[in-house]
Amino acid sequence: MRISTLVIGTVLALALGGCATQSGSSAGRGAEVASPPRATLESEQRRFADLFRGTPVVFEMQVDGSLRVTVPLAFSFDKGRFAVKPPLGAVLDRVARSQRPERTRFLVMAPADPRSKGLLLATERATSARDYMVARGVEATRFSIAASGSGDSVVIVVADPSAH
């Protein structure tokens, strides 16, 4: 009994110790500890471009300040299917992890298969990519989806609403 009390006391002391305020000239005057600088979409574009260098995935900044991510359809979905393939999943995982704490908005655009005008399949693909990111903690309200009757890539546009 005494050992568990000692362990609990030590854990609480360590936990509360991490909550202590900084000492110094600003202590006691309501000074807040600075949070780490927020990653900009431009810095994320550079980081992602380096991470996916040598792959067909493209990360590029747009004139409006948004980040456009392009993943070839062959690496995104199997023909006639809307389940996310692992290469697209790797991209979505990293974008979701990066943008989860941010206020960014997303537009997910997916095409149907080549020589097909299947807007239903394209919509299911865009929805599937959105749902994949939602399952990784990005709020569903931050997404818009679009379907294309043709095209050869899945496109995700990440926009910072405070930049406009």
Side-chain angles (χ1 to χ4, degrees), residues 151-164:
D152 61 354
S153 297
V154 172
V155 176
I156 300 110
V157 178
V158 184
D160 184 351
S162 63
H164 298 321

Side-chain angles (χ1 to χ4, degrees), residues 41 45-46 49 57-63 65-70 155-158:
L41 287 178
Q45 182 273 329
R46 289 189 296 274
V57 179
V58 177
F59 293 87
E60 60 187 351
M61 292 303 298
Q62 303 298 292
V63 175
S66 63
L67 172 61
R68 180 184 174 101
V69 182
T70 307
V155 176
I156 300 110
V157 178
V158 184

Side-chain angles (χ1 to χ4, degrees), residues 68-82:
R68 180 184 174 101
V69 182
T70 307
V71 183
L73 185 57
F75 296 97
S76 301
F77 301 100
D78 287 327
K79 185 174 179 165
R81 306 285 184 183
F82 59 89

Side-chain angles (χ1 to χ4, degrees), residues 49-147:
D50 286 343
L51 186 62
F52 286 90
R53 187 176 316 281
T55 72
V57 179
V58 177
F59 293 87
E60 60 187 351
M61 292 303 298
Q62 303 298 292
V63 175
D64 66 0
S66 63
L67 172 61
R68 180 184 174 101
V69 182
T70 307
V71 183
L73 185 57
F75 296 97
S76 301
F77 301 100
D78 287 327
K79 185 174 179 165
R81 306 285 184 183
F82 59 89
V84 171
K85 289 175 72 170
L88 176 59
V91 173
L92 297 175
D93 284 335
R94 285 171 177 83
V95 171
R97 188 176 318 120
S98 162
Q99 297 304 302
R100 189 174 33 239
E102 304 299 333
R103 294 183 45 231
T104 48
R105 307 275 306 158
F106 301 88
L107 171 61
V108 179
M109 297 178 280
D113 288 329
R115 295 182 298 276
S116 169
K117 301 273 189 235
L119 288 180
L120 177 60
L121 178 60
T123 302
E124 289 173 327
R125 287 175 168 174
T127 301
S128 181
R130 178 207 57 204
D131 292 349
Y132 191 96
M133 291 179 69
V134 167
R136 278 136 188 90
V138 181
E139 297 166 0
T141 57
R142 294 169 58 188
F143 288 87
S144 297
I145 60 170

Side-chain angles (χ1 to χ4, degrees), residues 8-72:
I8 291 172
T10 303
V11 169
L12 283 174
L14 291 173
L16 292 175
C19 295
T21 58
Q22 293 181 335
S23 61
S25 61
S26 63
R29 287 188 271 154
E32 293 183 25
V33 176
S35 60
R38 192 175 133 218
T40 65
L41 287 178
E42 289 177 3
S43 65
E44 289 299 276
Q45 182 273 329
R46 289 189 296 274
R47 187 174 71 83
F48 286 138
D50 286 343
L51 186 62
F52 286 90
R53 187 176 316 281
T55 72
V57 179
V58 177
F59 293 87
E60 60 187 351
M61 292 303 298
Q62 303 298 292
V63 175
D64 66 0
S66 63
L67 172 61
R68 180 184 174 101
V69 182
T70 307
V71 183

